[in-house]
C-alpha cells in the first residue's frame, strides 16, 4: 500500500513538471533597427607619407670634395649639400674667358675696319660668329663650375647619403635623397565595395592612436583605377589644412570615410548589433518578433561594419521590427518568446 502511494506521488510530480515545462518560454532581448540617417562611416588603416622624395645629383661629373650633410639632417631650400673638386673647372673657365676677351677685342678692331670699308662683310660676319661661339663656350664652362656645388631645391630631411668624400661620380648620380615634409599625404587601400561607392564619398579624416582625441580632416587627392593583386585600390589623401600636429612620415593612422548610405533606390540602411545576426543555411538572418510574440527568421544583407562596430543592413528590414539581439542561437521558427525589459543600469550582474 505504501509503495502504491509513492508511485502515485511520483507520477503526479512528473506530470506537473511536464506541464510546467510546456509553459516555459525562452527569454530574449530585442532592439529596433537604427537608420543611418543617410550616412555611414568606413574605417580603414592608413600610413602617413612625405609628399615627395627627391634624389639629388650633380649636373656634371667629378670627384667629391666635401659633403656637408649626414642622414637625418634638416636642410632648408638653398642650403649647400655637397661640392666637387673645382680646380679643373676653374682652369677651363679661365681658358674660355681669355679666348673670349681676346676675341672681343679683335672683333672691336674688325668692326672699326668694317665701318671704314677696309674689310668685306663676309670677314665681318666670320668674326662676329667666332665671338658668339667663344661667348657660348665661356658660359658653358661658367655653368659647369656652378654645377660643382649641389644645393637643396626644397626644405626637408636627408633620408640617404650615397657617396663619400673623394669618390668619383658621373653626372646625374644620386648623391643624397631628401624627404619633402613641408606637405604630408595619407595612403590607404580600399576594398572594391568602397571603390564602387566612391561617388558617395562625403568627407575624410584620420586619427593617430598616439592622439586618440584629435582628428585631422583630409581631402581626396587620387584613387588608383587599377586594383592590386589583393583586390585593393590605393587612395591618396592630403591634410585639408596646414596643421598636421604629431603626424610624421611612416606613422600608422586610422582613416575614416563618411559616405552617403542607401542603395540608390531610396531604401535606407539600418544598424544592428553584431550579435543580432544568425547564420541560417549560410545566409545572414535576424529573428523578428511578431505581435503574438512568436519569432520568424528574416534574411538580411550585411553591407559592412559601421565605425561604432555595428553591422550595416542594406536590405531585409523596414526599421519598425523588433529584432532579437540576445538569445538568437536557440530559437526556432514560430516559437513563442518572452521579451525581457531593458536591464537597469544598476543591474551590474544582469545576464543580458
Amino acid at each position: 500500500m505504501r509503495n502504491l502511494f509513492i508511485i502515485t506521488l511520483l507520477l503526479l510530480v512528473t506530470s506537473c513538471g511536464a506541464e510546467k515545462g510546456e509553459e516555459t518560454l525562452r527569454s530574449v532581448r530585442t532592439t529596433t533597427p537604427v537608420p543611418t540617417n543617410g550616412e555611414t562611416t568606413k574605417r580603414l588603416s592608413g600610413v602617413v607619407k612625405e609628399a615627395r622624395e627627391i634624389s639629388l645629383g650633380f649636373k656634371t661629373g667629378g670627384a667629391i670634395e666635401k659633403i656637408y650633410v649626414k642622414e637625418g639632417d634638416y636642410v632648408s631650400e638653398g642650403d649647400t649639400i655637397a661640392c666637387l673638386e673645382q680646380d679643373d673647372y676653374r682652369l677651363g673657365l679661365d681658358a674660355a674667358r681669355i679666348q673670349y676677351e681676346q676675341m672681343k677685342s679683335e672683333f672691336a678692331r674688325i668692326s672699326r675696319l668694317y665701318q671704314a670699308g677696309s674689310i668685306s662683310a663676309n670677314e665681318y660676319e666670320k668674326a662676329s660668329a667666332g665671338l658668339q661661339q667663344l661667348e657660348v663656350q665661356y658660359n658653358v664652362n661658367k655653368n659647369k663650375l656652378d654645377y660643382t656645388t649641389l644645393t637643396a631645391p626644397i626644405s626637408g630631411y636627408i633620408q640617404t647619403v650615397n657617396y663619400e668624400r673623394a669618390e668619383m661620380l658621373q653626372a646625374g648620380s644620386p648623391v643624397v635623397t631628401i624627404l619633402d615634409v613641408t606637405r604630408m599625404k595619407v595612403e590607404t587601400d580600399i576594398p572594391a565595395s568602397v571603390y564602387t561607392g566612391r561617388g558617395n564619398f562625403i568627407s575624410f579624416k584620420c586619427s593617430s592612436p598616439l592622439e586618440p582625441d584629435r582628428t585631422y580632416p583630409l581631402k581626396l587627392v587620387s584613387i588608383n583605377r587599377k586594383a592590386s593583386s589583393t583586390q585593393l585600390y590605393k587612395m591618396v589623401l592630403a591634410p585639408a589644412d596646414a596643421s598636421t600636429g604629431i603626424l610624421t612620415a611612416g606613422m600608422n593612422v586610422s582613416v575614416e570615410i563618411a559616405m552617403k548610405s542607401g542603395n540608390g533606390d531610396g531604401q535606407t540602411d539600418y544598424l544592428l548589433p553584431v550579435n543580432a545576426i544568425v547564420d541560417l543555411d549560410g545566409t545572414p538572418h535576424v529573428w523578428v518578433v511578431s505581435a503574438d510574440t512568436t519569432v520568424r527568421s528574416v534574411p538580411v544583407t550585411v553591407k559592412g561594419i559601421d565605425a561604432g562596430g555595428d553591422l550595416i543592413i542594406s536590405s531585409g528590414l523596414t526599421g519598425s521590427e523588433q529584432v532579437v539581439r540576445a538569445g538568437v542561437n536557440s530559437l526556432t521558427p514560430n516559437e513563442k518568446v518572452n521579451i525581457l525589459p531593458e536591464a537597469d543600469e544598476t543591474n551590474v550582474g544582469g545576464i543580458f
Side-chain angles (χ1 to χ4, degrees), residues 47-87:
V47 62
V48 180
K49 291 191 174 182
E50 66 282 354
R52 51 183 172 162
E53 181 178 297
I54 301 177
S55 294
L56 296 181
F58 290 99
K59 292 183 178 181
T60 188
I64 297 177
E65 183 177 84
K66 189 173 183 179
I67 296 179
Y68 296 91
V69 297
K70 61 182 182 298
E71 293 180 358
D73 284 353
Y74 178 83
V75 293
S76 299
E77 182 178 349
D79 287 352
T80 300
I81 301 296
C83 64
L84 299 176
E85 293 180 359
Q86 299 178 341
D87 293 344

Side-chain angles (χ1 to χ4, degrees), residues 85-279:
E85 293 180 359
Q86 299 178 341
D87 293 344
D88 291 341
Y89 289 99
R90 290 187 185 279
L91 291 175
L93 178 62
D94 289 341
R97 179 178 54 79
I98 293 171
Q99 288 181 338
Y100 171 65
E101 290 179 351
Q102 181 182 3
M103 186 61 191
K104 188 161 63 171
S105 299
E106 180 66 16
F107 181 72
R109 185 181 67 84
I110 293 176
S111 295
R112 290 193 296 270
L113 293 176
Y114 175 70
Q115 292 174 357
S118 301
I119 61 173
S120 65
N122 185 45
E123 291 177 314
Y124 173 80
E125 290 174 356
K126 286 183 179 180
S128 177
L131 177 63
Q132 292 177 5
Q133 183 177 5
L134 290 177
E135 183 179 9
V136 169
Q137 291 178 358
Y138 171 70
N139 288 328
V140 167
N141 282 274
K142 185 178 179 181
N143 289 338
K144 285 183 177 180
L145 180 61
D146 293 338
Y147 294 158
T148 60
T149 300
L150 184 65
T151 58
I154 60 170
S155 298
Y157 288 92
I158 302 297
Q159 177 73 1
T160 57
V161 178
N162 302 316
Y163 289 90
E164 299 290 341
R165 180 182 178 277
E167 284 191 274
M168 291 291 298
L169 50 78
Q170 296 179 346
S173 299
V175 179
V176 298
T177 301
I178 298 182
L179 298 182
D180 179 7
V181 295
T182 55
R183 294 177 292 120
M184 294 289 185
K185 63 182 179 180
V186 176
E187 291 186 0
T188 184
D189 293 320
I190 59 175
S193 59
V194 177
Y195 174 78
T196 54
R198 61 190 181 278
N200 294 325
F201 289 165
I202 299 174
S203 62
F204 312 87
K205 61 182 178 180
C206 73
S207 60
S208 167
L210 301 178
E211 200 176 19
D213 296 331
R214 180 177 180 181
T215 59
Y216 297 89
L218 303 172
K219 58 184 178 181
L220 180 63
V221 176
S222 64
I223 302 178
N224 198 329
R225 300 291 176 172
K226 182 179 180 181
S228 65
S229 59
T230 57
Q231 294 301 299
L232 296 174
Y233 296 80
K234 178 174 291 186
M235 182 168 67
V236 179
L237 305 160
D241 51 45
S243 176
T244 55
I246 64 171
L247 299 182
T248 57
M251 179 180 290
N252 292 324
V253 293
S254 175
V255 178
E256 293 185 14
I257 306 174
M259 302 178 63
K260 296 178 183 177
S261 63
N263 304 313
D265 54 3
Q267 185 173 342
T268 303
D269 292 342
Y270 296 94
L271 300 179
L272 280 178
V274 175
N275 54 7
I277 303 297
V278 62
D279 189 325

Side-chain angles (χ1 to χ4, degrees), residues 309-338:
D310 292 329
L311 295 180
I312 304 171
I313 309 301
S314 60
S315 66
L317 300 176
T318 64
S320 60
E321 299 90 346
Q322 284 194 82
V323 178
V324 177
R325 65 175 174 83
V328 297
N329 294 320
S330 56
L331 298 177
T332 57
N334 300 317
E335 179 181 356
K336 277 186 170 291
V337 295
N338 175 43

